[in-house]
Amino acid sequence: MDTIINRSLTGYYRLNFYPVGTCNILKMGHSEIDKSEKDNENDDKLSSKEDNDLLSFDKLSLDENNIRVVVGLDFGTTYSGFAYCHVSEKNPCSNTNWHGEVGQLKTNTILQYDDEYNNVKSWGAPAIAKKLRKMNKQNNCESSKPVELFKLHLGDLLDEHKPKLPVDYRKAITDYLREIGKVIKETVAKRWTKIDYFEDVLLVISVPAEFSDKSKVIMRACAFEAGLIKDECSINLQFTTEPEAAAVYCMNNLEEHNLAQPGTNFMIVDCGGGTVDLTTRKLINGNQLDEITERTGDFCGSTFIDTEFIKYLRKKFGDKPIDLLIDNNHEQMQYLIQQFCRHCKIPFSGNDSDFLYELDIQDTIPILKQYVTDNNIREALEENEWVIDIDFETMKSIFEPVVQKILKLIKVQLDNAQETCSAMFLVGGFSESRYLQKRIRQVFEHRVDNISVPLQPIAAISRGAAIYGLSNDLNNISNGESVISSRVLKYTYGTNTFYKWKKGDPEDRKTKNGYIEKFECLAKRGTKMDINQEVTSSHRPHKADQDSIDYKLFYTEKYDGIYCDDPGMNLLGKFRIDLPGSGKDRCVLFGMTFGKMEIVASARNKQTGQIYRTTFKFDLDG
């Protein structure tokens, strides 16, 4: 990944990090300079061939901005939707028109490809409908399988929990964003005929709280490939976390509970299909939120209830029949899960001890009978006429492993806040589960007075993302005041720095020229940082004729580190600061802003104020 800070006599540019091989246009304010022309200027030549992959100068403090419409996109694991609003209206509207049918706030995050998995044949709800049509025809010689749950590949999840996909997950994400992007563009064009999408629309995409910087970089790259932004380095794309967006949306709910006073703390529990994300916020004035503890999340959304259901089936039928069903009859397996969701997962409240659903294998998924070869299992099923009784205790056993994870997340969040939490808002599709609501209230009603589900919790993320975009100074969307005043860092960040080796340092780490490489912490995990707060450090060249300084940016979930190869230390990327002139006294002030959703960097000469060019490459394979 590469980014550059340009030398300037009038000020210095702050930058976001974007992928290598993109942004062939050089943006300085509203002027555009062709990359090939700029390459001919000697003073802007990069010092190595690999750096020629990208020249992207993006002066973020624009003199003016044409944003007229804000779109908040909730790209979910199982369902996706968006909300939109003109800057003069301040009241986001959710899209409810999908594939010609009106009424749903979201559509399915699913793709149906052609047999070669090159082109998308259908997406969203129609892809689900196609699955059901196949089921009705009892077509066991299935062609291409529907592709779903691909967002899970962006998370730090064990490979065994990531779905096996017939296409690269980045292609699936890009293809899905392209399809939903068509609906976004059509909706904006119909609503405001004179709006230029690429010039006048700010797109805010919400991401899970646990997403790393690399995941956001991949999302930006996919959004560009999908045609959602004109240039990959476009500042017309911003990110917010899903619980953060929900917190913005729920600010109005504080008034309903007479809690809209500065100093009020409230928690958001965003229960989605793949993840459950939490954040605790403090209202610091009428329209701004402070993050008071580290946002957290885990993979314990509603799809993992389905996973527990599959585990239950394995106990009844054995592993081999279920494996054969998944491998050979994916569509029928998905139909079985759909039936489970409709008759069990959604209606189960935990209040009716007589709850019972009779799963008739003959009617629902007859092919499974052919896969059961164990005589004992087969005899037991035949004795019960191939009907599986899913009763109250069974449903509790299916729900509880997932619910317990959620309860633990909430407890840790409350404990870490160390302040009274006045309200807890449950949002997201899974928040509508009456059993989940019941369990959360049972466990935490003594610690939180108000636990509620706001109006239309499914739309909370997309509407909150749009409100977040509206809250920025839209004449200067990079540096403007935002409804979010601070964030708490989820990682510790630092660079590799060379010190003179001294007695007591490990001998095997001593370089030939007498130095030792160590981890220099720039920002610690758990630190609350204002979104525009910059962390700076001074650096000097080791040699008088040195023409650049090379550094690596590392991150870790630990609170500090000594060496860059410590356990848990990860390389985020590499950057280079060019050093004109000569001498060892050329002190460079390097700065990074971690409070924004995308890391921002700067570099300048402390003596002259001259701005230095910085290139950055993300280590996406690390």
Side-chain angles (χ1 to χ4, degrees):
M1 266 270 44
D2 240 16
T3 346
I4 297 168
I5 294 180
N6 189 30
R7 295 187 290 274
S8 169
L9 298 178
T10 58
Y12 68 93
Y13 304 150
R14 298 197 301 172
L15 54 129
N16 289 3
F17 298 151
Y18 304 115
V20 167
T22 59
C23 301
N24 291 325
I25 296 297
L26 184 70
K27 293 179 66 178
M28 312 257 313
H30 287 292
S31 62
E32 294 184 344
I33 304 173
D34 188 86
K35 175 181 181 292
S36 60
E37 294 178 3
K38 195 65 182 176
D39 283 347
N40 292 330
E41 298 182 18
N42 292 331
D43 64 341
D44 281 311
K45 285 182 179 177
L46 300 180
S47 19
S48 66
K49 182 180 182 300
E50 66 177 5
D51 290 330
N52 287 321
D53 290 333
L54 172 69
L55 280 177
S56 165
F57 297 72
D58 197 356
K59 184 177 181 183
L60 298 188
S61 54
L62 303 178
D63 295 331
E64 62 175 314
N65 193 277
N66 296 322
I67 297 301
R68 297 292 177 267
V69 172
V70 177
V71 174
L73 173 57
D74 177 12
F75 168 57
T77 303
T78 53
Y79 292 92
S80 298
F82 67 91
Y84 53 92
C85 185
H86 194 278
V87 296
S88 63
E89 297 172 356
K90 308 293 184 182
N91 187 21
C93 176
S94 297
N95 177 67
T96 57
N97 190 337
W98 301 101
H99 313 285
E101 296 186 5
V102 179
Q104 298 297 319
L105 291 168
K106 290 187 176 183
T107 192
N108 305 76
T109 309
I110 183 172
L111 294 163
Q112 181 70 51
Y113 285 92
D114 57 22
D115 291 346
E116 289 75 33
Y117 292 98
N118 291 325
N119 302 308
V120 175
K121 296 176 65 177
S122 60
W123 68 284
I128 291 289
K130 184 172 182 179
K131 285 166 56 175
L132 296 181
R133 285 197 300 270
K134 281 188 174 183
M135 276 297 303
N136 291 335
K137 293 178 180 179
Q138 294 295 308
N139 184 359
N140 294 331
C141 300
E142 299 166 358
S143 54
S144 64
K145 296 180 180 179
V147 179
E148 52 194 329
L149 304 179
F150 38 84
K151 182 183 173 183
L152 292 177
H153 282 264
L154 285 172
D156 185 15
L157 193 62
L158 294 175
D159 288 341
E160 62 189 73
H161 296 309
K162 293 179 180 178
K164 295 179 181 179
L165 303 176
V167 298
D168 183 87
Y169 75 93
R170 300 187 198 190
K171 171 178 170 57
I173 292 173
T174 299
D175 288 340
Y176 190 84
L177 290 179
R178 182 181 296 110
E179 297 301 328
I180 200 170
K182 293 175 184 177
V183 181
I184 291 173
K185 293 174 184 177
E186 290 171 1
T187 301
V188 171
K190 288 179 181 178
R191 183 68 176 80
W192 301 282
T193 57
K194 296 183 179 180
I195 290 293
D196 184 324
Y197 174 83
F198 289 115
E199 296 296 328
D200 304 334
V201 175
L202 170 64
L203 177 65
V204 181
I205 299 180
S206 61
V207 296
E210 76 279 0
F211 263 24
S212 66
D213 294 292
K214 291 181 182 179
S215 297
K216 286 175 280 188
V217 168
I218 294 171
M219 278 295 297
R220 177 174 280 276
C222 292
F224 169 66
E225 291 295 329
L228 286 176
I229 48 178
K230 187 176 182 180
D231 304 307
E232 191 163 352
C233 54
S234 173
I235 57 176
N236 284 20
L237 169 61
Q238 294 187 7
F239 292 100
T240 183
T241 68
E242 291 166 0
E244 185 173 84
V248 173
Y249 175 76
C250 290
M251 283 176 65
N252 293 334
N253 291 75
L254 293 175
E255 296 181 4
E256 299 177 10
H257 300 283
N258 298 316
L259 294 172
Q261 298 93 24
T264 294
N265 296 328
F266 66 99
M267 182 189 297
I268 296 296
V269 184
D270 173 26
C271 309
T275 60
V276 172
D277 298 310
L278 293 81
T279 184
T280 304
R281 300 283 167 165
K282 182 191 293 290
L283 187 66
I284 58 176
N285 55 45
N287 57 2
Q288 221 172 13
L289 296 175
D290 207 2
E291 188 170 31
I292 66 173
T293 190
E294 184 180 317
R295 57 198 176 276
T296 57
D298 200 357
F299 294 91
C300 46
S302 63
T303 58
F304 291 91
I305 300 291
D306 305 340
T307 301
E308 293 298 322
F309 172 59
I310 294 173
K311 290 181 181 179
Y312 169 75
L313 294 180
R314 290 182 182 278
K315 293 178 182 178
K316 290 290 184 180
F317 295 93
D319 288 333
K320 186 176 179 181
I322 300 302
D323 288 337
L324 289 170
L325 182 65
I326 294 173
D327 293 338
N328 300 329
N329 307 91
H330 177 82
E331 308 259 348
Q332 294 193 38
M333 182 69 197
Q334 291 303 307
Y335 177 73
L336 175 62
I337 292 175
Q338 290 287 327
Q339 294 298 101
F340 165 73
C341 292
R342 181 179 304 168
H343 298 289
C344 297
K345 184 169 75 171
I346 295 174
F348 184 67
S349 65
N351 296 322
D352 182 8
S353 59
D354 294 326
F355 178 91
L356 178 65
Y357 172 64
E358 295 182 341
L359 174 60
D360 191 322
I361 300 303
Q362 178 65 41
D363 290 342
T364 307
I365 189 164
I367 190 67
L368 187 57
K369 295 173 62 176
Q370 299 179 22
Y371 295 144
V372 178
T373 56
D374 184 289
N375 290 331
N376 292 330
I377 294 176
R378 191 173 187 87
E379 286 177 7
L381 290 168
E382 287 177 343
E383 184 178 340
N384 206 37
E385 298 181 337
W386 292 92
V387 173
I388 304 297
D389 291 335
I390 303 178
D391 59 15
F392 179 83
E393 291 300 326
T394 300
M395 283 305 300
K396 281 184 62 178
S397 69
I398 290 173
F399 262 89
E400 276 302 312
V402 178
V403 170
Q404 286 299 322
K405 277 191 172 185
I406 298 172
L407 297 177
K408 183 178 179 180
L409 284 173
I410 296 173
K411 181 182 183 303
V412 170
Q413 186 76 187
L414 287 170
D415 293 344
N416 289 344
Q418 298 180 347
E419 297 182 30
T420 300
C421 181
S422 300
M424 182 189 301
F425 298 111
L426 312 181
V427 301
F430 192 22
S431 72
E432 294 188 309
S433 165
R434 288 179 290 169
Y435 184 72
L436 178 61
Q437 293 174 16
K438 175 183 178 178
R439 294 290 285 115
I440 291 176
R441 289 192 174 101
Q442 280 180 341
V443 176
F444 298 108
E445 61 185 1
H446 68 288
R447 298 187 64 176
V448 183
D449 291 337
N450 296 288
I451 301 176
S452 63
V453 180
L455 184 67
Q456 292 186 317
I458 295 177
I461 309 302
S462 59
R463 291 187 184 182
I467 297 170
Y468 169 82
L470 288 167
S471 73
N472 288 302
D473 177 2
L474 292 173
N475 288 323
N476 187 356
I477 64 175
S478 303
N479 300 306
E481 292 297 324
S482 170
V483 66
I484 302 300
S485 66
S486 67
R487 293 186 175 98
V488 177
L489 300 185
K490 287 181 60 63
Y491 300 100
T492 293
Y493 296 93
T495 64
N496 64 318
T497 303
F498 288 88
Y499 297 91
K500 274 288 188 181
W501 186 92
K502 59 184 180 182
K503 188 176 181 180
D505 288 333
E507 284 281 351
D508 60 343
R509 291 184 178 272
K510 185 178 181 180
T511 64
K512 293 181 180 180
N513 56 356
Y515 284 88
I516 183 172
E517 183 183 23
K518 292 186 176 182
F519 175 76
E520 180 183 355
C521 179
L522 294 176
K524 285 191 176 184
R525 174 182 175 177
T527 303
K528 184 173 74 173
M529 306 196 80
D530 293 342
I531 59 172
N532 291 319
Q533 181 178 342
E534 188 176 52
V535 177
T536 60
S537 59
S538 298
H539 303 275
R540 298 176 185 272
H542 299 305
K543 301 177 182 178
D545 60 348
Q546 192 171 331
D547 60 5
S548 66
I549 301 178
D550 292 323
Y551 287 103
K552 299 175 182 178
L553 183 64
F554 293 88
Y555 71 98
T556 177
E557 291 186 352
K558 298 182 178 180
Y559 290 89
D560 208 344
I562 299 176
Y563 302 107
C564 298
D565 57 357
D566 285 343
M569 194 72 68
N570 300 286
L571 175 65
L572 180 60
K574 305 172 184 178
F575 57 89
R576 169 173 295 159
I577 303 172
D578 286 352
L579 292 176
S582 62
K584 293 186 178 181
D585 60 344
R586 293 169 293 160
C587 186
V588 174
L589 186 67
F590 181 73
M592 301 195 83
T593 302
F594 296 100
K596 295 181 180 294
M597 284 297 294
E598 293 178 284
I599 296 175
V600 176
S602 63
R604 62 176 174 174
N605 186 298
K606 290 182 68 173
Q607 283 72 37
T608 66
Q610 184 180 20
I611 307 309
Y612 293 100
R613 182 176 60 209
T614 300
T615 63
F616 188 92
K617 290 183 178 296
F618 264 101
D619 180 42
L620 291 181
D621 298 322

